[in-house]
Amino acid sequence: MNKKDILSLSLDELKIEMEGIGEKVFRAKQVYEWLHTKLADSFEEMTNLSKNLREKLEAAYCIPSVKMLERQVSKLDGTNKFLFQLEDGNVVESVLMRYKHGNSVCISSQVGCRMGCKFCASTIGGLERNLLPAEMLGQVYQIQKISGERVSNIVIMGTGEPLDNYDNFVRFIRLVTDENGLNISQRNITVSTCGIVPNMKRLAEEGFQITLALSLHGSTQEKRKNLMPIANKYELSEVLEACDYYFEKTGRRITFEYSLVQGVNDRDEDAKELIGILKPRNCHLNLIPVNPIKERDFQKPSRKSAEAFKNQLEKSGVNATIRREMGSDIDGACGQLRRRYVNK
Ligand code: SAH
């Protein structure tokens, strides 16, 4: 018999489960607290429950494991990169970044990715499988336990396309922001998408206050298509409409992400077209000098040229920042740590 994943259940669902195994409803709250605030990895640890109940739980349920395989610590800025192993042997990576305003964790939403963006290491081996809500939570919980520091911000910008794993992703958001759990503020969560239009609209209707980041990377439909296969499915105009809809519904300003690739999308003309797109919108632009991966020959522009690109946008009233590079002495770029492991 396959045991049921107890970590992915809401408190209300857990109440129904407890009744189902002949337990009092209030036990649900205790178990939930062990799982989501005391971050227990096993039923054995739940010492205020009777031995009998712990055995019952053990027999019917599992807590999908997320085990640390490797941890790299940057000497430059204290960034930590983690490689975690899942129950089935697959591995995912996550990053802990320390900022003045708190600790931010970047998590993966899938094992691998099927979106095929040209400059991204995460997509090279394709999609292996979706992550469970429990496995997204597990990355945050383990990092909080290992570091001994509270996580206050989450970005879903690791390996995978979160909106390609929609239901599990939404369940994860509900659980991680639940006041009975870690209770992370929705305003401190950012989800990044390559632009899966129907699910961007669905997300707008969930009633969340999370920030939506849209990976733009090209300033016209044609240029976007050259870097991102998903653009063959959804036109740039549709993607932008979905962003506007998200803003309208949630009041949350959209973040646009734009990876600068030397000679490909960092020219004068690109900046002008970008201004055309972004100026009329209440948004923020995050410029990411591309992180070269060995499988492709994309190069990042010089610091000076990236600054010039940014200044051109700012002069026209577009709010832009160049993303600070963190942990550049460790396997920093998306999916590089996992790829190194998988290649071995
Ligand atoms: N699937 C989501 C999350 C991906 S990672 C998405 O597409 O948005 C978060 C961001 O990093 C995306 O904007 C992605 O395009 C970008 N990215 C991926 N690989 C990169 C690289 N090698 N250099 C710079 N940015 C990269």
Side-chain angles (χ1 to χ4, degrees):
M1 190 192 77
N2 244 342
K3 295 187 189 178
K4 203 166 184 170
D5 163 14
I6 198 169
L7 194 63
S8 294
L9 299 178
S10 69
L11 180 55
D12 284 340
E13 289 165 340
L14 198 54
K15 285 179 182 165
I16 296 167
E17 294 289 327
M18 287 304 110
E19 279 189 299
I21 59 169
E23 291 288 333
K24 297 244 160 52
V25 170
F26 79 89
R27 294 282 175 212
K29 187 87 187 272
Q30 286 180 316
V31 174
Y32 194 86
E33 204 167 79
W34 274 109
L35 292 170
H36 299 281
T37 68
K38 298 181 195 160
L39 312 182
D41 297 311
S42 69
F43 297 113
E44 219 175 272
E45 292 168 52
M46 305 183 178
T47 43
N48 64 346
L49 306 180
S50 70
K51 184 135 189 290
N52 176 266
L53 173 54
R54 278 183 272 156
E55 280 168 6
K56 265 207 245 177
L57 290 172
E58 185 70 54
Y61 303 95
C62 67
I63 307 170
S65 79
V66 173
K67 267 202 212 102
M68 185 174 79
L69 266 189
E70 194 178 323
R71 177 187 190 182
Q72 300 182 342
V73 180
S74 164
K75 291 190 182 70
L76 300 174
D77 52 35
T79 295
N80 282 218
K81 191 131 192 184
F82 298 90
L83 192 66
F84 290 114
Q85 183 151 48
L86 310 175
E87 203 94 38
D88 63 359
N90 273 308
V91 295
V92 294
E93 58 184 86
S94 330
V95 188
L96 165 67
M97 290 156 291
R98 296 196 164 90
Y99 294 104
K100 279 194 256 27
H101 64 262
N103 285 340
S104 184
V105 166
C106 173
I107 64 157
S108 297
S109 56
Q110 296 179 313
V111 181
C113 183
R114 57 180 183 145
M115 295 298 127
C117 298
K118 295 274 168 60
F119 44 78
C120 181
S122 295
T123 202
I124 288 167
L127 176 68
E128 195 64 45
R129 70 169 173 88
N130 283 326
L131 289 186
L132 300 167
E135 293 167 329
M136 293 184 240
L137 286 173
Q139 297 171 60
V140 179
Y141 292 1
Q142 290 306 317
I143 289 178
Q144 180 152 315
K145 282 178 81 167
I146 294 162
S147 70
E149 294 170 32
R150 183 171 158 78
V151 171
S152 55
N153 296 259
I154 298 176
V155 296
I156 301 100
M157 290 192 182
T159 296
E161 168 50 49
L163 300 193
D164 188 38
N165 183 15
Y166 188 84
D167 293 338
N168 288 348
F169 160 70
V170 163
R171 186 174 269 273
F172 161 74
I173 296 293
R174 294 221 162 86
L175 288 165
V176 84
T177 59
D178 182 11
E179 56 179 5
N180 295 300
L182 268 202
N183 195 13
I184 290 179
S185 162
Q186 290 189 354
R187 290 170 175 266
N188 292 350
I189 297 180
T190 297
V191 59
S192 179
T193 181
C194 62
I196 300 186
V197 169
N199 287 348
M200 291 167 71
K201 292 186 182 156
R202 264 170 93 190
L203 188 63
E205 285 158 9
E206 298 286 352
F208 292 152
Q209 277 292 296
I210 63 179
T211 299
L212 181 65
L214 187 272
S215 297
L216 191 57
H217 307 322
S219 51
T220 65
Q221 168 62 10
E222 276 314 303
K223 289 178 184 173
R224 214 168 169 257
K225 252 164 61 177
N226 286 335
L227 292 172
M228 307 175 72
I230 191 70
N232 292 303
K233 196 153 177 198
Y234 305 108
E235 287 276 333
L236 177 56
S237 58
E238 295 176 83
V239 175
L240 293 171
E241 257 169 53
C243 289
D244 294 343
Y245 184 70
Y246 190 88
F247 177 64
E248 219 178 274
K249 281 276 169 188
T250 63
R252 303 290 294 162
R253 191 174 76 157
I254 302 289
T255 296
F256 288 94
E257 289 160 288
Y258 193 91
S259 297
L260 284 167
V261 187
Q262 189 179 43
V264 173
N265 66 359
D266 69 339
R267 293 152 303 182
D268 219 47
E269 138 199 327
D270 299 300
K272 289 204 179 92
E273 286 159 358
L274 256 187
I275 291 165
I277 293 175
L278 302 181
K279 199 172 173 189
R281 297 188 154 83
N282 190 345
C283 64
H284 182 88
L285 175 66
N286 221 333
L287 295 166
I288 318 166
V290 80
N291 231 318
I293 56 174
K294 71 171 192 317
E295 288 86 351
R296 304 263 191 277
D297 59 0
F298 289 135
Q299 293 307 320
K300 68 169 88 177
S302 68
R303 184 76 206 178
K304 211 172 131 208
S305 140
E307 293 279 358
F309 193 89
K310 181 190 114 160
N311 290 341
Q312 195 175 345
L313 280 134
E314 284 203 312
K315 263 199 303 220
S316 311
V318 174
N319 199 318
T321 44
I322 299 177
R323 185 183 292 171
R324 207 173 114 206
E325 195 174 358
M326 294 186 78
S328 55
D329 55 332
I330 54 181
D331 288 309
C334 318
Q336 285 191 346
L337 180 54
R338 173 171 171 267
R339 281 223 63 72
R340 190 162 56 68
Y341 180 83
V342 170
N343 286 339
K344 260 198 309 206

